[in-house]
Amino acid sequence: MSKTRVGIINVTGYAGSELARILYRHPEVGVEQVTGRSAAGKQLSEVYPHLLDADMTISPSLDSSVDFVFSALPHAASAEALSPFIEEDVRCVDISADFRLKDVNVFESWYKTEHPCPQHIENAVYGMPELHRDDVKRSRLIANPGCYPTGTILGLAPAFASDIIETDVISDSKSGISGAGRKGDVAYNFNEINDNMSAYGLSGHRHMPEMSQELSALSKHGEVKVTFVPHLAPMTRGILGTHYANLKSEVSQEGATDIYRTFYADEPFVRVVSSAPSTKETWGSNHVLINVNIDAYSGRLIVVTALDNLVKGAAGAGVQNMNLMLGLPETTGLETLAIYP
Amino acid sequence: MSKTRVGIINVTGYAGSELARILYRHPEVGVEQVTGRSAAGKQLSEVYPHLLDADMTISPSLDSSVDFVFSALPHAASAEALSPFIEEDVRCVDISADFRLKDVNVFESWYKTEHPCPQHIENAVYGMPELHRDDVKRSRLIANPGCYPTGTILGLAPAFASDIIETDVISDSKSGISGAGRKGDVAYNFNEINDNMSAYGLSGHRHMPEMSQELSALSKHGEVKVTFVPHLAPMTRGILGTHYANLKSEVSQEGATDIYRTFYADEPFVRVVSSAPSTKETWGSNHVLINVNIDAYSGRLIVVTALDNLVKGAAGAGVQNMNLMLGLPETTGLETLAIYP
Amino acid sequence: MSKTRVGIINVTGYAGSELARILYRHPEVGVEQVTGRSAAGKQLSEVYPHLLDADMTISPSLDSSVDFVFSALPHAASAEALSPFIEEDVRCVDISADFRLKDVNVFESWYKTEHPCPQHIENAVYGMPELHRDDVKRSRLIANPGCYPTGTILGLAPAFASDIIETDVISDSKSGISGAGRKGDVAYNFNEINDNMSAYGLSGHRHMPEMSQELSALSKHGEVKVTFVPHLAPMTRGILGTHYANLKSEVSQEGATDIYRTFYADEPFVRVVSSAPSTKETWGSNHVLINVNIDAYSGRLIVVTALDNLVKGAAGAGVQNMNLMLGLPETTGLETLAIYP
Amino acid sequence: MSKTRVGIINVTGYAGSELARILYRHPEVGVEQVTGRSAAGKQLSEVYPHLLDADMTISPSLDSSVDFVFSALPHAASAEALSPFIEEDVRCVDISADFRLKDVNVFESWYKTEHPCPQHIENAVYGMPELHRDDVKRSRLIANPGCYPTGTILGLAPAFASDIIETDVISDSKSGISGAGRKGDVAYNFNEINDNMSAYGLSGHRHMPEMSQELSALSKHGEVKVTFVPHLAPMTRGILGTHYANLKSEVSQEGATDIYRTFYADEPFVRVVSSAPSTKETWGSNHVLINVNIDAYSGRLIVVTALDNLVKGAAGAGVQNMNLMLGLPETTGLETLAIYP
């Protein structure tokens, strides 16, 4: 059987190059074409020397010979570039935010732009296999989850599904800088970031409605309000999320851990761990580590999550979704362990 | 007038060496003796080459010729070493936790050790000039605040004093690694920390009762419960604290900022800033930066604080307290700006 | 055909854990036993959470059921632990320095210890396939090269083999901190290393005789003298080597590059690159990047090399050697690309 | 006596902001005006929050009310901006390279631009007080040395002055990223630099002719050839230089150290240290640390230097020069110790 022919739109960003890295070792698909806005005509290895062995020429656009498309473009540009493929019924995974929010008005209000093809939103599946595996399998268009929401949703989903917490929660998340992309911007200059820590998005961050949408769907009591404060940590990869929720009634440490272990019992990439994880334990892997704590003193559930924002938070989740869409074993190409230290 | 003769007990830790660094440029005091447990007999510059110009021999102990004593020993050892000086009525600043908690039972339960001299606790003043300036001036024994509590207490004090928040608060704090001290421990080996972020102390951290004690004293409604989760960030210095509290009733962004600006109007080292601060803006300085946010959606106050854990979180606050005790201008020796980048 | 049964002695160091990580995905061998000095009885995942999926109990020692042994112990201890396996004719790869130097007196003078089993030295092959591939294939005992020598020897071998440089060379090498191992030592505490750079070993470093031995064997003019200055760089992985040699006569930039490209034409892991490499381009991969420069002004060859000290500088080279010894394709289990950024 | 009125051209770069930081605490001068190309009209604290206490409005240009001018503009732009002040006989320190090279042809060939005012070159003094103190005192125009040349020239000057080394030397220098300036450029994005090390400038770097000019002036045997290879290290501040030179005849370790100690005996900022220094020992201070080694095996002198590129390598040296020009004690405003860790 011949390999599925994959195209990557915008391979020159960090999510795009991570797709190229992971797919290079995938036994069932082959990356046939890659695009990159300003780098068309260059070799991939000129932009990313670590991809020398996966070298190919960067095209201005994908042609119709591909069977499967990833887009790692920024929002709006991504939907626009994917639109013709969606309409030709080519299977697509959109790494951007364009198809994540079911309500186009919410999208347009948070992203401050008109949606290029709102008619496709209803056919898109929010690509979190842990919550929507069957829909992912059947889908032709996947909205790959955001990096922050991946930790927050997976970190709180079992608690909402088992109805043990109030609907008003806090996500205090700390991200490595690769989450901001491959930008030439003084704010991300090494000197400004190194040995430095800051909060941002205090007046609202676009990943919040995505958290709220997915957690509200699990809640037994309507809308989940998420107070989400993202932070920049002086590291390249990784998101550590610390989540606080008020317990509805007393739950023991063991009881809470059991709820989580049961919820994720069959998940290939989620690990409920018994001590607080660190982000580096997931470096380069598709794992999410979740640690559950009951603070009896305050009556709170505190859940700590760790993941690699470019893998489970972007490209790895994209490949996991692709595997499901193609009927392949879910872990294909994603079996490597984290690199530590 | 001759300079005050200062002794530093345990100069070989990071707080101790920071005291030596700051006091080297202090015009009114002179460091006459320094001790260090395993380094007695060595020159200070052998342990800390950056202190070459302030070089002196490390003694096994201070003698009675000093007029003022700082102790930067760990808890229990610190009170024990200070005890004779306290009894001789020599003015002392204890950087350790030994005299911070007014209730010796709370101390002994959190620190899991017997207090060496509980009789001195009642004479100690919690050395946060922003809350207890007059007491500090009159005191002979200062309990210098912990690094985390400095950010959390200053970050929430105006809100409790003005009675705008509920008594159940969250402090999600991210610390640089120097807060853990100068330890030869695999857990703090560069490889384990670099490019890594983790939470710890989820079952309780010793700095929590200190936060609760001071904030409860400001609260109009009894005990303040603090859910405190400390985190290790891959940086040397700095604590970024993100604090969440439920508003008792609606408060505007301007109103909240005004409360803070008024509360700290005359403070030489507290700056209420209008955008989210980063820790590096305080590197090497005695400043605390505080940014106040109202999240109307969730009805929460979110306060972000930044400080240098070795300066305002330890040695700098100690010198600030010393200045007050000696009747000197509070900012003497602490006027330098942060070093950036 | 059943898998080769592998044992790893001292899995708890960074080279040992890296062997476990790489071999977990190796299709032809299985790690059956692992040892760790102080961790015997623990699960591997307790020491290294990233190895959760490769979990197993750490034993006090290997038994005779293994077919192939890696030792990642420090020198002297390593030869001692391997000795019984060598004598039983079990194939062994020694990551330590014990069998690298052919002259036991040189070993004993640099390592300041008696060699535990000098009789085995003559049967050991210096495991650098690029220079000794046929010997490696036939060997039962491999002395895996040191991390610094890997860059320096590969960086200068083509120049000595083609007789274009004088025998007196300089290696100015900059290493990440994982090269120092998983140590609880104040000198490697994060605070001491972060944002800091230093030289060390100025009075002589143990890796120098190894460089000299291998380069002298390639030299047409006798002993090669290497002035080797190692440096600590504030990063976890990677060695960047900058090598300076005086040209014997004029060589063009193209001529020098051709010599290198020809020398390494068939090598699966060596890449002669046309611009100066950075260490991160090799993070987690078994590649060595080599960039060749002619400085016509001074009549010097300047060669820059980059590699991951824990992979091509330790565990990856070990697996490469194992593949050759077992008659497997040399790249098996080592095909993954570097993780970037 | 009134304070000298200082103006800083281009305060918005790292050298400019470092001048503002240092001069804020200088007792004899006051910063009266600052300019910044794109930031004119803003407050200094909007660009650099750490300068809040030194706040002032950024002007489009300096007016004639200033008594002393620093320019921290890039080359060519700097000479152009300084030219009117030079012509009005206002004392100037140029942090850029414009007046460092005595031969305008060498300048124009390396900097690939026409010099805006070559007529002023002959009146400029190369502002390294350790070599040219008397000239600095008498000068009205100082060419402040480059960051790399500061370490290399000070590291080799005593050896050339005492005629113990050959004229062909190597400088392998490792710099923190602040040396590249406050740039919005993908190459200096945190993700690209963090945990990464690279060489650059292999085909020639502009700081080389400056090293050659100054060292040749000290040499007894004509032109000094410097093979200079700069490297980027993943740290914010600091330059570590490792210098290699062939000894003309045998020199002992003690003899070499004595030569250096004698040469720098009266220097306020140069420290000849007995073990290899690390860059962090100079963080924020104006010190240069020099460690001298004789490698008897190869007959080489190896000198390791450490300094803070933004202080002794830029702003601090500028203030040192200003002090000499104004007849003030040379160390005024520069007495603070390095901040460590």
Side-chain angles (χ1 to χ4, degrees), chain C residues 172 191-192 194 244 280 340, chain D residues 172 191-192 244 280 340:
Chain C
D172 187 295
N191 304 296
E192 306 285 320
N194 183 38
Y244 304 89
K280 215 171 181 176
Y340 184 94
Chain D
D172 187 296
N191 304 295
E192 307 285 320
Y244 304 88
K280 215 171 179 176
Y340 184 94

Side-chain angles (χ1 to χ4, degrees), chain B residues 251-320:
Chain B
V251 180
S252 69
Q253 176 65 45
E254 295 67 32
T257 303
D258 278 353
I259 286 168
Y260 275 70
R261 290 200 197 272
T262 303
F263 192 89
Y264 291 125
D266 299 324
E267 287 304 327
F269 296 115
V270 183
R271 303 276 176 274
V272 180
V273 293
S274 54
S275 56
S278 70
T279 55
K280 214 172 182 175
E281 294 165 16
T282 66
W283 190 280
S285 89
N286 201 48
H287 289 135
V288 178
L289 307 179
I290 301 182
N291 178 240
V292 183
N293 300 274
I294 296 295
D295 180 16
Y297 170 67
S298 66
R300 283 201 175 95
L301 172 74
I302 307 176
V303 180
V304 182
T305 57
L307 55 87
D308 183 325
N309 56 299
L310 293 181
V311 187
K312 184 58 176 168
V319 174
Q320 184 181 356

Side-chain angles (χ1 to χ4, degrees), chain C residues 169-180:
Chain C
V169 298
I170 292 171
S171 169
D172 187 295
S173 294
K174 300 89 178 165
S175 177
I177 310 302
S178 61

Side-chain angles (χ1 to χ4, degrees), chain C residues 183-228:
Chain C
K183 294 214 189 85
D185 183 330
V186 167
Y188 301 110
N189 179 290
F190 179 83
N191 304 296
E192 306 285 320
I193 293 289
N194 183 38
D195 246 312
N196 201 358
M197 183 117 205
S198 59
Y200 68 104
L202 282 150
S203 57
H205 185 283
R206 291 161 171 181
H207 280 177
M208 192 277 279
E210 191 179 330
M211 298 172 182
S212 180
Q213 168 183 289
E214 294 297 309
L215 293 174
S216 295
L218 289 164
S219 162
K220 317 292 192 207
H221 307 278
E223 188 196 354
V224 171
K225 285 192 179 184
V226 184
T227 295
F228 168 53

